[in-house]
Amino acid sequence: MNCKLKSPVQVGGSGAGSTGRPAGGCDNEASIIEEEQQMSSDYNPSVLETKWQKQWEDEKLFKVDIDQSKQKYYLLEMFPYPSGRIHMGHVRNYTIGDVVARYKKMTGLNVLHPMGWDAFGMPAENAAIAGGVHPKKWTYENIEYMKIQLKRMGFSYDWDREVTTCDVDYYRWEQLFFIQMYEKGLVYRDRCFLNWCDSCKTVLANEQVEDGQCWRCGSQVLLKEYDQWFFKITRYSQRLLDNIEKLKNGWPERVLIMQKNWIGRSTGSLIRFAIDGTDKDIEVFTTRPDTLYGATFMSLAPEHPLAKTLPEGTGQELAVKAFVEKTLKEDKFTRTSETYEKEGVFTGRYCINPLTGYRMPIYIANFVLYDYGTGAVMAVPSHDQRDFEFARKYGLHIIVVIQPEGETLSGETMEEAFEGEGLLVNSGDHTGMKNTDAMKAITEHLQKIGRGEFFVNFRLRDWGISRQRYWGAPIPVVHCGKCGTVPVNKEDLPIILPEDVKLTGTGESPIAQVDSFVNATCPVCKGPAKRETDTMDTFVESSWYFIRYCSIKPENKPFDRKDVDYWMPVDQYIGGIEHAILHLMYARFYTMILHDLGYVGIDEPFEHLLTQGMVIKDGAKMSKSKGNVVDPEVMIARYGADATRLFTLFAAPPEKDMDWSDQGIEGTYRFLSRLWRLVQEITDLEGASQDEKVPASMEDIQRKTHQTIRKVTEDIDRRFRFNTAIAAMMELVNELYKAKDRARDESEVGVIKKALEYLLIMLSPFVPHISDELWEVMGGSGMLLLHPWPEYDAKWAEDVHVTIAVQVNGKLRATIDVPKDALQPEVEAKAFSDGNVKRFMEEASIRKIIYVPNKIINIIAVSH
RNA sequence: GCGAGAGUGGCGGAAUUGGCAGACGCGCUGGACUUAGGAUCCAGUGGGUAACACCGUGGGGGUUCGAGUCCCUUCUCUCGCACCA
């Protein structure tokens, strides 16, 4: 019937090799005739889905606005990068979100459910280098296509709120925030060693380096020295940590643990060691000030600035230089792995132990991290395994200062460092103290002599946001020969990314070649100046898009405060676990910044977080190289959006990985076909939908219906378990099929029709197209999204009869049906009358009976 | 090494508070309808047995009338962190 009718998406070769019954498939003349004949009764998703999508759009069904009379609910899914087409991960993420959004709306909440595009980023640039298409054109074309795909899935987005981060009208506000942060000292420029990906030709934040490799392309990361812009996220370390308390009820524990570890708060002391023969100090952070009397040398990271200056005049210059160069060339991941051989070089200088006066040789050591603490470590070989190995290798002095109970260690004979607790020895006035007490005492002593203090150290580093790339938001700063580096005037914003650029992929920022962009006027002295040509990390854009959604196309402002106050925070955020640290930490930080700048009233953006699992196929993540990619578009063409949605929800609970199965989706397609036929057959029967007068013959159906309402509501609302909700509805369908065959009069049919209506309402968040269609078939009016969610009738949801398991000595011997809440004597009598129970009670006498009402009766017997 | 999570039929998964293990679906087996069935419907489907018995939630131990669920121990897998001073 519909050979000419195509779904709006084009699919190559979808018919061939199809195992199921492809909707609208036209193999030969006969099948066309057959389909024409069956037109009214066959489930044909492509036709009805596009029909309803059009209707929803025509009626602006998904449009939402502030409504003070209603409670709001902000449901957000992580927006996609417009790579070209949606993949199964998107489908899963957005289907989960859509179910919740539609459900919440039906329960009467005012639901904000927006979508947009994380549109800046490297793939656009790479595509331009490879194919000669301008990143802007490439990106906007991808957006257009993916938007059609998302609409074809039936997702309930209010597209009037669409955010595209590469729009000037979006990133201009980011430039304003940048300047305001600069004014508050939250932005600074620093020269430092940074992770450089030679393949992506860009700098990476620490968070973007995984196992020493680029998080995006997987190539080896190198260290390069660079001038970079930083956001001072470290000023918010404690707040980011403290606020985790607020998120405990709404976020998965493991995400919070990951963030906690990433922030990495540890308490200890900061100690200053005087460098012998100079007036300079080396500062170290340590969590073990109690071991200070045993500190016999000093280790510096190769990147430490003193590595350059210390050896001067000692004769060690060349040796140190060679060692530093060699070490920095090694990849950092290997170099800092625990098993790596510890190596170092003497700088020729000494520093003084503030407690013992011991002249500690200063080494450069490959295992010391410049990123952590002060980049310098006081070495206590007796009580730190790393220092111990290092000391043995280079013949350095080992002094025991903590003795474990009942043992006497000595520096000469010990085979490994002792890192446990004990009493202090060789520790001057502190000798004899418990080492745990000595931590405080020694630090207080250092405070008195001006050599140290208590200190809280964080692992979290400042967020480097400069990227040597084209397709990003320009950093609104100029470099002036006279005034130095200064932010542009706010009135001069936006700094628009020039479009006429040559993309070569050489590592130079492409906009550096655009004279009209680079040459600027200094906002301070009005003299000639050069614009900053780096662009911002795209994680900046994704750190506030969810706030932007709150306002519909705001003019001359980033968003409207009254909109934000109404909608924020996000009530439920849904996305991949891969963003547990990066995106979610940055977004939390940025929200705090916007709070402190007075833009928003909240300081945590996401109340509840759901991290959905990956979609895998044949036990592996989908990837082109493995050839196990499932294209959603093909699935939509073959089975429809509803079946695709239903399967992604049914195959696994949302937080677990789900295994894609080509046979599995056939099952959900079959279920929908079955539902389709059920409705057709039932509407043919005489009898108006009713459940006021339930005939005795239909009481079980009425009960099952209300139990299903209860189950589905709880599964969605309380548990986020869509797979079990769907299973419950499948059970109801099975029951209704059986009931249909035994229905004899109109009142019986009426109960089934009523049940079917409840079912369609409940199915509508999951499979909205077929639900609306069948609702119409059954004579229902309007669209189900506007229909209130059903409430179960407690009187029907409760069982009247229950099945009780009868155990003899803990083993199941029978099941019996009894009235609900039956008393023990009645249940016992019935249990003992069972033949099998009798059999097992022969030759035995009762010792005890345990009865759990409505569940189980366990007869404990002893044989004689 | 540290932290978190997981391990249940041939497969995906269910069992929400310690109370009938395997809901629902896939697959498979048999049957019905049929020129045909890759459509649909009906029945069956953890192992075992003629039927019972019995055995079954990674392994071992424990608590309990009763354990997939709690405790101890051990193995395997996944994820995160990993020389963090």
Side-chain angles (χ1 to χ4, degrees):
Chain A
M1 88 202 174
N2 61 352
C3 281
K4 284 172 225 121
L5 227 176
K6 280 195 177 140
S7 58
V9 287
Q10 301 284 323
V11 177
S14 73
S18 149
T19 44
R21 181 184 177 76
C26 305
D27 295 310
N28 51 45
E29 297 258 337
S31 76
I32 296 172
I33 293 160
E34 189 186 41
E35 289 204 21
E36 260 173 86
Q37 285 166 345
Q38 296 183 352
M39 185 173 158
S40 62
S41 58
D42 262 11
Y43 171 47
N44 188 332
S46 69
V47 173
L48 73 91
E49 286 178 359
T50 45
K51 165 189 160 187
W52 285 102
Q53 280 156 15
K54 183 167 182 302
Q55 188 152 339
W56 297 337
E57 191 147 353
D58 289 349
E59 306 215 6
K60 297 186 169 20
L61 188 63
F62 307 139
K63 177 131 190 57
V64 63
D65 264 314
I66 289 184
D67 179 349
Q68 297 294 353
S69 70
K70 281 183 174 173
Q71 199 189 329
K72 69 95 183 181
Y73 188 84
Y74 185 174
L75 185 118
L76 180 70
E77 298 130 35
M78 292 181 184
F79 66 168
Y81 178 79
S83 56
R85 4 183 68 217
I86 59 168
H87 54 66
M88 272 303 167
H90 294 130
V91 168
R92 188 172 190 209
N93 188 169
Y94 303 155
T95 300
I96 292 167
D98 202 47
V99 172
V100 178
R102 285 174 177 267
Y103 165 77
K104 290 288 181 183
K105 186 175 166 82
M106 291 172 79
T107 61
L109 301 180
N110 194 30
V111 176
L112 175 58
H113 188 211
M115 184 42 72
W117 311 97
D118 191 9
F120 270 137
M122 295 197 312
E125 219 167 317
N126 294 340
I129 293 163
V133 199
H134 193 277
K136 183 171 181 180
K137 186 171 188 287
W138 186 86
T139 302
Y140 280 94
E141 282 176 4
N142 285 350
I143 288 174
E144 209 181 326
Y145 190 79
M146 290 171 75
K147 196 166 162 182
I148 292 171
Q149 290 190 304
L150 292 181
K151 286 186 175 177
R152 186 62 189 81
M153 282 299 298
F155 297 139
S156 61
Y157 299 125
D158 179 359
W159 284 105
D160 288 353
R161 296 168 181 274
E162 181 176 6
V163 166
T164 305
T165 60
C166 63
D167 281 355
V168 179
D169 220 21
Y170 182 79
Y171 69 72
R172 66 183 303 168
W173 303 112
E174 215 161 282
Q175 295 175 330
L176 176 65
F177 300 149
F178 180 99
I179 294 170
Q180 291 175 323
M181 287 169 71
Y182 185 91
E183 287 165 352
K184 283 205 151 197
L186 287 162
V187 176
Y188 65 95
R189 190 171 159 84
D190 196 14
R191 187 167 187 83
C192 62
F193 286 90
L194 283 178
N195 307 299
W196 169 260
C197 173
D198 209 39
S199 156
C200 297
K201 303 287 176 196
T202 193
V203 155
L204 301 169
N206 285 338
E207 294 90 326
Q208 295 163 0
V209 180
E210 295 166 351
D211 293 355
Q213 295 168 342
C214 173
W215 70 298
R216 198 182 278 117
C217 73
S219 53
Q220 220 34 259
V221 171
L222 311 168
L223 284 183
K224 262 194 169 182
E225 215 169 359
Y226 261 103
D227 281 327
Q228 287 284 302
W229 286 98
F230 287 91
F231 282 171
K232 212 165 175 36
I233 192 171
T234 52
R235 192 184 285 176
Y236 286 75
S237 303
Q238 190 64 50
R239 191 153 152 207
L240 286 165
L241 185 67
D242 290 344
N243 272 11
I244 284 177
E245 233 16 72
K246 290 195 210 171
L247 304 175
K248 279 230 165 100
N249 295 322
W251 285 39
E253 198 198 357
R254 66 170 176 150
V255 174
L256 295 179
I257 290 171
M258 278 190 234
Q259 293 218 345
K260 246 186 206 171
N261 292 342
W262 193 262
I263 295 167
R265 182 185 198 266
S266 61
T267 54
S269 310
L270 210 55
I271 304 176
R272 280 177 295 278
F273 294 75
I275 301 170
D276 198 20
T278 75
D279 56 358
K280 294 208 173 80
D281 291 335
I282 295 177
E283 211 168 43
V284 304
F285 170 73
T286 180
T287 54
R288 295 296 303 274
D290 53 317
T291 64
L292 179 53
Y293 284 93
T296 53
F297 59 100
M298 176 69 70
S299 309
L300 304 183
E303 297 95 331
H304 201 288
L306 285 173
K308 280 191 187 124
T309 55
L310 275 185
E312 283 166 15
T314 65
Q316 284 292 91
E317 297 94 326
L318 287 179
V320 171
K321 191 163 183 269
F323 179 80
V324 168
E325 278 176 10
K326 172 182 154 254
T327 309
L328 292 189
K329 236 184 269 169
E330 285 166 357
D331 121 67
K332 196 173 163 189
F333 176 69
T334 316
R335 185 189 119 203
T336 58
S337 78
E338 215 168 336
T339 47
Y340 201 64
E341 173 79 18
K342 292 168 188 30
E343 285 183 341
V345 63
F346 179 46
T347 59
R349 299 266 179 194
Y350 296 82
C351 62
I352 307 299
N353 186 319
L355 298 185
T356 62
Y358 186 86
R359 284 182 81 231
M360 301 158 58
I362 304 170
Y363 276 75
I364 310 294
N366 64 352
F367 64 89
V368 178
L369 306 172
Y370 185 57
D371 283 346
Y372 186 81
T374 63
V377 184
M378 70 174 209
V380 184
S382 49
H383 304 293
D384 182 287
Q385 187 58 24
R386 296 158 298 183
D387 297 340
F388 181 82
E389 287 168 31
F390 196 86
R392 276 283 140 87
K393 178 166 175 143
Y394 294 101
L396 297 160
H397 200 30
I398 300 175
I399 305 170
V400 173
V401 291
I402 298 172
Q403 287 294 4
E405 224 182 290
E407 265 185 273
T408 309
L409 298 171
S410 104
E412 286 77 43
T413 58
M414 63 200 299
E415 282 170 6
E416 55 177 19
F418 171 68
E419 296 181 345
E421 295 184 358
L423 297 178
L424 261 57
V425 295
N426 301 322
S427 296
D429 294 343
H430 296 96
T431 297
M433 269 184 132
K434 274 167 73 177
N435 76 300
T436 45
D437 299 333
M439 295 194 186
K440 186 164 175 259
I442 289 179
T443 307
E444 279 168 353
H445 177 70
L446 289 169
Q447 237 160 355
K448 258 180 245 156
I449 61 171
R451 280 279 145 205
E453 58 256 344
F454 293 100
F455 192 78
V456 178
N457 189 61
F458 292 92
R459 203 184 80 109
L460 186 68
R461 300 290 86 198
D462 279 335
W463 175 13
I465 57 142
S466 301
R467 296 292 178 274
Q468 292 66 49
R469 297 297 291 199
Y470 166 65
W471 195 232
I475 294 173
V477 159
V478 297
H479 304 283
C480 169
K482 264 193 262 171
C483 312
T485 299
V486 285
V488 304
N489 282 324
K490 289 173 197 157
E491 301 75 50
D492 296 335
L493 294 178
I495 305 303
I496 298 171
L497 185 68
E499 288 184 27
D500 188 19
V501 293
K502 281 197 194 98
L503 297 164
T504 55
T506 52
E508 281 290 305
S509 180
I511 43 177
Q513 316 298 324
V514 184
D515 291 344
S516 59
F517 177 83
V518 175
N519 294 320
T521 309
C522 171
V524 182
C525 71
K526 309 298 175 198
K530 300 276 184 196
R531 265 190 213 294
E532 169 70 59
T533 57
D534 282 355
T535 52
M536 283 192 243
D537 184 357
T538 58
F539 275 110
V540 180
E541 280 91 63
S542 55
S543 290
W544 68 285
Y545 75 104
F546 44 90
I547 303 178
R548 173 80 170 189
Y549 281 144
C550 294
S551 288
I552 300 174
K553 299 186 173 58
E555 283 187 33
N556 302 317
K557 51 189 151 188
F559 38 74
D560 231 309
R561 178 67 192 254
K562 73 169 194 330
D563 294 327
V564 176
D565 285 347
Y566 178 79
W567 290 115
M568 285 299 285
V570 171
D571 293 272
Q572 180 67 58
Y573 197 23
I574 306 173
I577 185 76
E578 66 273 18
H579 293 110
I581 300 174
L582 302 180
H583 163 58
L584 290 170
M585 184 89 80
Y586 294 148
R588 292 182 59 213
F589 162 64
Y590 213 78
T591 303
M592 288 176 186
I593 295 280
L594 292 179
H595 171 271
D596 293 355
L597 290 174
Y599 280 103
V600 300
I602 44 98
D603 77 341
E604 279 296 338
F606 313 124
E607 197 110 316
H608 297 268
L609 173 70
L610 174 74
T611 50
Q612 104 266 357
M614 284 188 305
V615 181
I616 56 177
K617 173 102 194 290
D618 309 324
K621 198 175 169 176
M622 287 185 188
S623 73
K624 276 185 196 150
S625 60
K626 290 196 192 80
N628 62 348
V629 177
V630 178
D631 186 348
E633 217 169 82
V634 175
M635 293 301 134
I636 295 170
R638 196 174 287 171
Y639 304 106
D642 280 339
T644 306
R645 292 168 61 117
L646 195 62
F647 181 64
T648 61
L649 295 164
F650 181 60
E655 67 280 2
K656 281 186 69 174
D657 286 349
M658 74 156 278
D659 230 346
W660 184 266
S661 151
D662 291 335
Q663 283 164 337
I665 190 173
E666 298 227 11
T668 53
Y669 180 82
R670 210 173 295 160
F671 167 73
L672 294 177
S673 307
R674 205 166 132 78
L675 174 73
W676 182 267
R677 281 194 304 274
L678 179 64
V679 171
Q680 308 291 343
E681 288 174 32
I682 294 213
T683 42
D684 286 346
L685 301 175
E686 293 288 323
S689 152
Q690 65 90 22
D691 65 350
E692 281 81 44
K693 288 180 195 148
V694 180
S697 59
M698 286 293 147
E699 281 182 359
D700 56 338
I701 290 300
Q702 180 70 358
R703 220 165 269 128
K704 183 74 181 173
T705 303
H706 283 268
Q707 285 169 353
T708 307
I709 297 171
R710 180 173 64 189
K711 167 85 177 149
V712 171
T713 307
E714 281 182 6
D715 279 353
I716 300 177
D717 204 300
R718 203 163 53 80
R719 305 206 306 156
F720 272 54
R721 297 292 281 267
F722 310 112
N723 55 332
T724 51
I726 293 165
M729 291 188 284
M730 285 175 167
E731 283 186 58
L732 182 57
V733 167
N734 292 343
E735 292 298 316
L736 293 179
Y737 250 98
K738 287 179 200 155
K740 176 199 69 184
D741 294 335
R742 63 171 207 259
R744 291 287 170 267
D745 61 41
E746 294 197 7
S747 69
E748 289 181 327
V749 170
V751 173
I752 299 175
K753 281 190 179 170
K754 188 75 186 178
L756 212 40
E757 286 174 12
Y758 280 128
L759 177 71
L760 291 175
I761 299 167
M762 286 191 284
L763 275 170
S764 69
F766 300 83
V767 283
H769 312 88
I770 191 177
S771 304
D772 267 0
E773 176 71 17
L774 292 177
W775 182 253
E776 192 179 75
V777 168
M778 289 193 70
S781 62
M783 294 163 289
L784 286 172
L785 187 60
L786 302 174
H787 196 285
W789 187 258
E791 284 183 33
Y792 66 86
D793 184 335
K795 150 180 126 229
W796 285 112
E798 291 306 323
D799 281 309
V800 183
H801 283 269
V802 291
T803 306
I804 286 192
V806 182
Q807 296 183 339
V808 177
N809 287 331
K811 291 200 172 176
L812 184 71
R813 296 305 177 194
T815 57
I816 53 174
D817 271 352
V818 298
K820 188 164 185 288
D821 298 326
L823 296 174
Q824 187 161 345
E826 185 187 347
V827 177
E828 272 182 32
K830 194 151 186 191
F832 282 115
S833 68
D834 182 274
N836 206 34
V837 174
K838 275 185 192 153
R839 203 185 118 207
F840 280 92
M841 288 306 293
E842 276 169 23
E843 316 271 318
S845 59
I846 303 166
R847 205 179 69 192
K848 192 177 172 188
I849 293 177
I850 287 126
Y851 174 56
V852 182
N854 305 321
K855 300 264 187 198
I856 202 164
I857 181 161
N858 190 4
I859 302 156
I860 312 303
V862 268
S863 47
H864 19 79

